[in-house]
Amino acid sequence: MKKRISLILVFTLGLISITHAQLAVKADTIYTMAGSKVVDGVILINGEQIEAVGSSSDVDIPGNYEVHETSVATPGFIDARSVVGLAGIYNQDQDQDQLETSNAIQPELRAFDAYNAREELVKFVLGKGVTTTHTGHGPGALASGQTMIAKTAYNTVEEALVDSATTVAFTLTSGVRRNFDKPGTRSKGMAMLRQKFIEAQEYAEKQNSDDPPSSNLTLQAMADVLNGKLTAMITAQRAQDIMTALRLQEEFGFDMILDGAAEAYMVLDEIKASGVPVIIHPTMVRTYGDTQNASFSTAGKLHEAGIPFAFQSGFEGYVPKTRIVLYEAAIATAYGLPREAALQALTSSSAQILGISNSVGSLEEGKDADIVLFDGDPLEYTSHISAVIVDGKVVKGN
Amino acid sequence: MNRLFIILLLILVVPSITFSQQTPQAFAGAKIIPVEGEPIPEGTLIVENGKITAIGPSSDVSIPGDAQTHDVSGKVIIPGLVDSHSHIGSGDGGDRSSAMHPDVRILDSIDPRSDTFKKALAGGITTVNVMPGSGHLMSGKTAYLKLREADTIEEMLFVDDPTNGVAGGLKMANGTNPIGEGPFPGTRAKSAAMVRELFIKAQNYKQKLEQADGDTEKMPTRDLGMETLVQVLDGERVVHNHTHRHDDILTAIRLSEEFGYRLVLHHVSEAWKVPEEIAKAEVPASIIVLDSPGGKMEATDIRYENGAVLEEAGVTVGYHTDASITDTRLFLRSAAFGVRAGMSRDAALKAVTIANAKMLDLQDRVGTLEEEKDADFVILSGDPLSTYTRVQQTWVEGQKRFDISNPDDKKYATGGYKVFERATQNHHHGRH
């Protein structure tokens, strides 16, 4: 019985550990993701930021710093595309806010109006090393709404927000027609999106005229994609849908991230030439429907081609309710992706693609103290996360 | 016919038919993990006519002169994996006309050519319990399959006679999945009442059979469903019961004790809440690893620790893929995650082999590498519980069924364009 109680305690992910202003992490290996790894290294944390990183011979630990010893330290992981906080653990109507089906084009829907910072899955992924999540509206509508970036270790969206509006999530897959009467085909979906972008262009032009139009949230959000305030994140899995997404980008010239990209390996040259980064589908995505042709080796091929990419947990409609980016990266390493490239895609590349690399994604002086502590190889199945540090606060791993 | 042609024909055709059956094959130099007994650091495995004829340290095992020898030094050999709960093979099960279909056999619907079998072989799986879904109180009879090369389902079964033999178990489910509108139960209590009522009917049927004692005049009218349940009552057919919540687990145990049937608990998401009760009932648990909890109300409290907690309590515990819920290519990952959450390596490896074999009454045929057992084994590139380890070859009864060096096989391990064209997501959990 005692064992059972202690297990329950372990299962309960304690968020509130003691907040320490001054910490030191001593690790056999530190993957800083800024230059080469540091062997026998030290990370000093002062307040919410990293104060110093280096080998133990170069960085002295002041006597009053609380020391955490570990085998491996990496930057906190950045889940490059999630729905946690909008899509909840119960998978019941009342906790599923990632897809609004009243209209196929609703780019004005703001993620932070629906984000539940206390959602159990947010805390669950935190325990798996995700310190920053790019989350919000899911795939399934031509324009399902906006996304945001949050730190996972806070209890209100206001505290958690890193970026309140990051992308508009667009979808060009055969799945859209299941959620709407219109569009019913791929071609119709593309025509509807092009029409809306053209309206947004006209809307933006009129805003600068003597007779500005009355405010329209939908067109404003589309115009913000066109003017670069928001990035277009387009979910496309089939090769022809990837090409359609690139065609749309070329026509309207917006900043774009390609999401999913299950058949990216068929059009690597075209993706590379477009300069568009990829948030690759979860490696273990189920191989049916639009992701039927997904391959374990796609992340490795993107790396080989020199296309910037990051890992995502994605959207799951059943069990498991969310995937874990660390685990998705691990499978990719068994199928051709070098280990350090996998860590990069979980941290620094993800930060660069999302435009937050000034504060997170690597362990460097002045950056946020977001760190994951492992008792072994981070990508090995049997390794444990002993602790996660977010903005200098220590959270128990799981 | 000219002589050269005949010789060519003999060279081409004869070896492929007879040599693989008759010639002993020796696998020498690998680390062998027999699962029963200690790992052998440098061992030799000899197979002949589909069976293991010798296994041991290379220094102790003499290779027959006529054997074909495979140098597998640096590799790791483990038993072929046994998956105690899967939905591969594109089969179906009971329809929506009733909540209980003890008459239905999944073996009548399985496609032996389904590439889901090739996908499973790429993950080292050689024996599978293929089950109908969980959207019924009883969705039908399951099929225990060996992943031999087969054109017909008969060639994959463990029994010679699919109609009169016991080719599998009986799938049952409780909790929310079988609940729905009529003829399905609306509540958990009604679910249990319906199952009890049917088993009481089966007890009466069985009594009539016994009273008739072979007298055709006195025999009850044949009823396929009743015949299945009599097999269950007689202990010839095991009940595989889908269950998640701790109270549903206890209900499954309660019903099995009332009617005295043999039970395997499946999924058992909240096993960690009732490990002593499961142990006391002496019921094995076939559990699943989900990367995160949730997705359905009943799975919000699932724990990675289930394997460790059940091991500690002394329960026979196995992992299953519930394919396509988890990926058959990554079945060993479930065992590794068990170890990550506190399970012993030994119990974790048993959980994907012999523990599952026991749940299917196949422990004398599969699940360990021992003399006289089926020559089902997997050659791995390294430690079975490492992320970086890949299945190199999968052998079923002495036949090579997967070889990563063959591009036509390798594609099933990796995926890609049109690889899984026939692998559709046709398995429904719950109401539809």
Side-chain angles (χ1 to χ4, degrees):
Chain A
M1 189 50 80
K2 195 178 156 205
K3 162 128 187 173
R4 222 189 291 178
I5 291 166
S6 67
L7 272 166
I8 292 165
L9 285 174
V10 170
F11 295 150
T12 312
L13 178 64
L15 237 204
I16 312 120
S17 283
I18 317 144
T19 304
H20 280 287
Q22 292 170 319
L23 294 176
V25 174
K26 280 188 69 172
D28 301 335
T29 308
I30 301 173
Y31 292 97
T32 64
M33 307 322 292
S36 54
K37 67 184 177 190
V38 178
V39 177
D40 187 18
V42 172
I43 308 163
L44 294 185
I45 298 157
N46 200 341
E48 298 188 353
Q49 263 83 42
I50 293 168
E51 190 178 18
V53 185
S55 81
S56 62
S57 54
D58 297 337
V59 179
D60 291 328
I61 300 173
N64 59 330
Y65 277 47
E66 185 187 285
V67 179
H68 291 254
E69 291 193 42
T70 190
S71 172
V72 176
T74 71
F77 300 137
I78 302 163
D79 187 339
R81 203 271 192 265
S82 179
V83 288
V84 295
L86 277 78
I89 190 169
Y90 299 113
N91 208 15
Q92 307 285 310
D93 283 349
Q94 79 277 2
D95 77 340
Q96 297 303 299
D97 285 296
Q98 75 285 353
L99 184 64
E100 158 68 37
T101 53
S102 58
N103 192 316
I105 302 180
Q106 303 196 69
E108 68 274 23
L109 304 181
R110 301 187 300 190
F112 59 85
D113 290 326
Y115 182 76
N116 175 11
R118 289 176 183 266
E119 162 59 41
E120 280 179 56
L121 290 177
V122 173
K123 304 314 172 197
F124 186 80
V125 299
L126 167 59
K128 303 290 181 206
V130 175
T131 53
T132 302
T133 182
H134 174 221
T135 189
H137 289 92
L142 289 174
S144 61
Q146 297 169 17
T147 62
M148 55 178 255
I149 299 172
K151 290 283 180 85
T152 49
Y154 296 97
N155 286 333
T156 64
V157 69
E158 284 76 9
E159 289 173 289
L161 275 179
V162 174
D163 182 25
S164 60
T166 310
T167 76
V168 170
F170 295 95
T171 307
L172 292 173
T173 70
S174 67
V176 175
R177 74 191 68 169
R178 284 202 301 273
N179 301 319
F180 302 94
D181 292 335
K182 192 178 152 186
T185 62
R186 288 181 152 85
S187 299
K188 184 65 184 178
M190 181 65 163
M192 287 167 69
L193 274 181
R194 292 181 61 223
Q195 187 64 46
K196 197 59 83 179
F197 272 120
I198 289 165
E199 285 170 37
Q201 282 174 330
E202 288 164 358
Y203 177 82
E205 270 169 39
K206 279 188 197 155
Q207 278 180 323
N208 300 322
S209 71
D210 298 338
D211 182 23
S214 55
S215 183
N216 178 312
L217 292 177
T218 305
L219 293 178
Q220 187 59 55
M222 296 294 272
D224 285 345
V225 171
L226 293 172
N227 68 29
K229 277 189 196 157
L230 295 171
T231 298
M233 177 172 63
I234 307 184
T235 304
Q237 306 285 4
R238 298 277 186 187
Q240 73 265 36
D241 294 329
I242 294 172
M243 293 312 296
T244 300
L246 296 180
R247 197 177 308 122
L248 190 68
Q249 188 276 333
E250 206 166 282
E251 180 176 0
F252 294 98
F254 46 66
D255 292 339
M256 174 182 156
I257 299 169
L258 177 61
D259 169 58
E263 294 179 11
Y265 55 83
M266 315 242 322
V267 286
L268 284 173
D269 292 346
E270 289 80 357
I271 296 171
K272 175 101 197 248
S274 73
V276 165
V278 176
I279 300 176
I280 188 68
H281 61 81
T283 318
M284 292 182 276
V285 74
R286 293 184 183 121
T287 52
Y288 70 98
D290 271 28
T291 56
Q292 176 185 303
N293 297 330
S295 163
F296 284 161
S297 61
T298 306
K301 285 181 179 160
L302 290 171
H303 170 73
E304 220 172 88
I307 296 166
F309 74 98
F311 286 107
Q312 65 170 307
S313 57
F315 169 73
E316 293 294 333
Y318 192 52
V319 297
K321 192 56 190 155
T322 184
R323 293 186 179 272
I324 306 300
V325 282
L326 174 63
Y327 298 163
E328 302 303 327
I331 301 302
T333 60
Y335 291 79
L337 182 68
R339 285 179 62 251
E340 293 212 20
L343 292 174
Q344 204 178 330
L346 288 167
T347 57
S348 54
S349 297
S350 191
Q352 273 152 18
I353 291 168
L354 298 170
I356 50 175
S357 56
N358 57 338
S359 60
V360 295
S362 59
L363 301 176
E364 293 175 273
E365 188 188 331
K367 291 207 172 173
D368 293 358
D370 295 352
I371 308 167
V372 192
L373 277 52
F374 290 88
D375 64 357
D377 176 355
L379 297 163
E380 188 58 88
Y381 289 148
T382 48
S383 295
H384 302 90
I385 294 176
S386 50
V388 184
I389 300 173
V390 186
D391 292 336
K393 287 175 283 291
V394 181
V395 177
K396 175 95 179 65
N398 68 8
Chain B
M1 205 183 287
N2 93 36
R3 238 176 93 193
L4 184 66
F5 180 79
I6 293 171
I7 290 166
L8 270 176
L9 199 72
L10 283 172
I11 290 170
L12 287 173
V13 176
V14 173
S16 67
I17 296 168
T18 53
F19 278 38
S20 52
Q21 291 290 330
Q22 307 279 325
T23 311
Q25 308 224 37
F27 299 83
K31 175 181 180 180
I32 301 178
I33 304 175
V35 170
E36 200 60 67
E38 289 299 303
I40 305 161
E42 198 192 318
T44 294
L45 174 74
I46 297 177
V47 309
E48 194 174 353
N49 292 328
K51 297 282 182 188
I52 295 168
T53 54
I55 178 171
S58 293
S59 51
D60 297 353
V61 176
S62 59
I63 298 173
D66 60 339
Q68 184 189 351
T69 302
H70 306 258
D71 179 7
V72 283
S73 43
K75 310 289 187 210
V76 176
I77 296 182
I78 60 170
L81 304 182
V82 182
D83 185 355
S84 48
H85 184 141
S86 179
H87 302 288
I88 59 176
S90 308
D92 49 33
D95 62 14
R96 305 305 290 166
S97 64
S98 166
M100 292 184 282
H101 300 271
D103 51 332
V104 165
R105 308 183 292 204
I106 196 170
L107 69 87
D108 293 314
S109 63
I110 292 167
D111 172 11
R113 291 174 184 81
S114 167
D115 50 23
T116 54
F117 293 124
K118 294 188 172 120
K119 197 177 189 180
L121 284 161
I125 294 170
T126 54
T127 297
V128 190
N129 177 23
V130 175
M131 305 241 267
S134 51
H136 298 78
L137 297 171
M138 287 178 197
S139 56
K141 291 186 265 192
T142 82
Y144 304 156
L145 302 182
K146 183 65 79 74
L147 302 192
R148 305 178 189 108
E149 190 167 9
D151 294 322
T152 66
I153 189 67
E154 281 77 2
E155 294 168 87
M156 301 181 78
L157 295 171
F158 277 83
V159 292
D160 295 331
D161 181 348
T163 296
N164 298 306
V166 178
L170 174 67
K171 174 74 179 285
M172 287 177 57
N174 68 7
T176 56
N177 282 17
I179 287 176
E181 292 186 357
F184 291 82
T187 62
R188 287 179 154 85
K190 179 69 179 175
S191 300
M194 286 169 71
V195 169
R196 293 181 63 221
E197 208 153 11
L198 198 67
F199 270 112
I200 288 166
K201 205 178 145 197
Q203 284 176 326
N204 294 336
Y205 187 86
K206 182 176 181 256
Q207 201 178 9
K208 278 184 200 159
L209 281 179
E210 284 163 0
Q211 283 164 353
D213 195 24
D215 183 347
T216 44
E217 299 273 296
K218 294 181 187 158
M219 289 283 266
T221 314
R222 275 196 74 188
D223 181 314
L224 292 176
M226 287 297 112
E227 287 177 3
T228 303
L229 294 185
V230 169
Q231 289 175 334
V232 170
L233 291 172
D234 286 345
E236 293 168 9
R237 185 180 292 278
V238 173
V239 168
H240 295 285
N241 204 126
H242 158 114
T243 185
H244 287 283
R245 237 168 60 175
H246 64 98
D247 50 332
D248 292 329
I249 296 168
L250 300 182
T251 298
I253 292 173
R254 191 180 312 119
L255 296 193
S256 76
E257 287 176 348
E258 177 178 359
F259 296 99
Y261 57 75
R262 295 167 64 210
L263 173 70
V264 176
L265 298 167
H266 284 258
H267 309 321
V268 217
S269 297
E270 295 186 7
W272 61 275
K273 293 181 182 176
V274 286
E276 283 92 358
E277 289 80 356
I278 297 170
K280 189 163 164 264
E282 294 180 13
V283 167
S286 170
I287 64 172
I288 188 166
V289 172
L290 296 175
D291 285 14
S292 72
K296 60 185 293 177
M297 289 293 280
E298 293 177 327
T300 52
D301 250 358
I302 192 169
R303 305 289 192 217
Y304 288 179
E305 287 80 359
N306 275 340
V309 172
L310 289 170
E311 180 193 359
E312 166 96 15
V315 176
T316 298
V317 52
Y319 283 105
H320 62 240
T321 65
D322 195 11
S324 56
I325 294 297
T326 70
D327 198 312
T328 49
R329 295 170 291 178
L330 303 172
F331 189 29
L332 279 167
R333 178 177 184 263
S334 296
F337 272 44
V339 170
R340 185 185 188 278
M343 209 174 184
S344 70
R345 270 182 68 92
D346 185 49
L349 287 173
K350 284 182 171 149
V352 288
T353 55
I354 188 65
N356 285 337
K358 285 177 183 165
M359 294 177 203
L360 311 181
D361 286 337
L362 297 173
Q363 67 274 16
D364 296 334
R365 293 281 302 273
V366 300
T368 59
L369 298 176
E370 292 176 272
E371 277 175 31
E372 293 177 30
K373 276 196 160 183
D374 292 3
D376 301 348
F377 56 95
V378 189
I379 302 173
L380 300 169
S381 60
D383 186 88
L385 303 183
S386 170
T387 307
Y388 308 107
T389 294
R390 297 281 300 270
V391 172
Q392 304 294 296
Q393 293 179 359
T394 305
W395 291 70
V396 177
E397 297 178 359
Q399 304 284 322
K400 188 163 64 181
R401 295 283 287 129
F402 171 83
D403 186 343
I404 202 165
S405 68
N406 177 355
D408 281 342
D409 286 354
K410 188 185 178 184
K411 67 180 184 185
Y412 293 109
T414 307
Y417 193 63
K418 293 200 171 177
V419 172
F420 299 124
E421 204 168 10
R422 288 164 63 106
T424 50
Q425 171 87 345
N426 62 353
H427 168 61
H428 299 277
H429 281 254
R431 283 173 270 173
H432 25 135

